[in-house]
Amino acid sequence: MILGKPLESWYASYPLIRDLVALQETTWFNPGVAPVAQAIGDVGLTDADVADASARLARFASYLRRAFPETASSDGIIESDIVPVPHLQQLLGERYRQALTGSLWLKRDSHLPISGSIKARGGIYEVLKHAEDLALAENFLTLEDDYALLHSDKARAFFGQYKIAVGSTGNLGMSIGIMGAALGFQVTVHMSADARQWKKDKLRSHGVTVIEYASDYSVAVAKGREQAEADPACHFVDDENSVNLFLGYAVAAERLQQQLAAARITVDAQHPLFVYLPCGVGGAPGGVAFGLKLAFGDAVHCIFAEPTHSPCMMLGVYTGLHDEVSVQDFGIDNVTAADGLAVGRASGFVGKAMQRLLDGFYTVSDEHMYSLLALMERSEGMRLEPSALAGVPGIARVHADQQGYLARAGLDAPAMANATHLIWATGGNMVPDDEMDAYLTKGRELLARG
Ligand SMILES: *Cc1c(COP(=O)(O)O)cnc(C)c1O
């Protein structure tokens, strides 16, 4: 019995659950998707909130430039570039034996400064927001100040009175830990069992306290929340519910809008933009997708990608049960090599806010991610971590559903010929060389087997 119903009755009401339970790669295009004008209100946030987050990041730019010299070339703005990946597109078409029209691009959050993953958006934003709130409230700072003054022993002593805690599978902990420690906060990261050793080592070298758990992400978050609640000086970064994380991610869209314009790429009804976003608990892809819908309206189509062993968001939105259901309820083990995606229960906030704004969801096996990792390196010379490859099959899943999804979305062959497909590459730059070599060796073996 699962939530009071036998498995067979779940299969009868929700046939795709059978494929998820069998760990088969599955695609579901969301019949409940609605026009932005109707559905954007579900989120409870507006473009003014995103603009406020963007302005806050601009205020911190002079601090970031000083504290993290690698951000100097972008004037203290943490942003990644977009690059076309035509060789990958060609090889994917051959591998999947499909005609993949339009042009394929990569968003390289894998190369974001400071923490080398998409978490350098939301995670760092939330730390900066909290720091600003404290400093303004205690008259340590005014909005008119040059925030470079925060790069000082005096500021570190001020923030040293306060604590930050977070539960993480690794990358969020890295962003919160590195940023929090640089400002002077006492940071504790509660790590799930799947977190890589090198991430724990790196955090400890920054003076962050790392607490390790034998269990998965949800337990690490719950433990972190419990400890933080007992301490009024401690701010808990709540990956499952945080509006600030979500807004930090959403700022990506206005930046992407400028990058696409600079590359002379049009986005409108006849030139659709498809974006493929790897999903863990949902905050990062949800926030980015919210920003994209504000920026591009109905011309952007957002599709989430999850591991076959951790399809929590697909399960939550498909059944409408959101965070009331977990993949473990159905005997799916939530064990995957895809760092950041090993989440068994999705964010209820994101699922409910975004369920009418997301075009679809699909799952990818670990073996498939590994072979795409090798294919990416062979075709484009880029090294990404396994989770960052989850977005790669998206272009093929979309093309495979001409009659269903594309017809429903009103996207005919001429529109698809004009389409831009953007793979959101969410991490990889900080993976140590020996670990990356092991990923590549494994990927090449799998690729050779077909
Ligand atoms: C965290 C993470 C994601 C997904 O973000 P969520 O907010 O957990 O959905 C995707 N890729 C990588 C590399 C990540 O670290």
Side-chain angles (χ1 to χ4, degrees), residues 104-124:
L104 188 62
W105 287 68
L106 196 71
K107 177 67 173 160
R108 295 205 298 172
D109 275 12
S110 47
H111 289 67
L112 280 174
I114 303 179
S115 61
S117 84
I118 191 169
K119 304 297 195 312
R121 297 184 184 279
I124 288 176

Side-chain angles (χ1 to χ4, degrees), residues 117-119 171 239 278-285 339-341 385 387 426-427:
S117 84
I118 191 169
K119 304 297 195 312
N171 287 337
D239 197 19
C279 177
V281 73
D339 273 31
L341 309 188
E385 61 182 278
S387 40
T426 45

Side-chain angles (χ1 to χ4, degrees), residues 271-292:
H271 301 78
L273 172 63
F274 293 87
V275 183
Y276 307 104
L277 294 149
C279 177
V281 73
V288 170
F290 173 60
L292 290 170

Side-chain angles (χ1 to χ4, degrees), residues 360-381:
F361 303 80
Y362 66 84
T363 61
V364 193
S365 72
D366 278 24
E367 293 72 25
H368 194 173
M369 284 185 254
Y370 275 118
S371 45
L372 292 171
L373 187 149
L375 197 72
M376 178 70 80
E377 130 101 16
R378 180 185 299 169
S379 57
E380 304 287 347

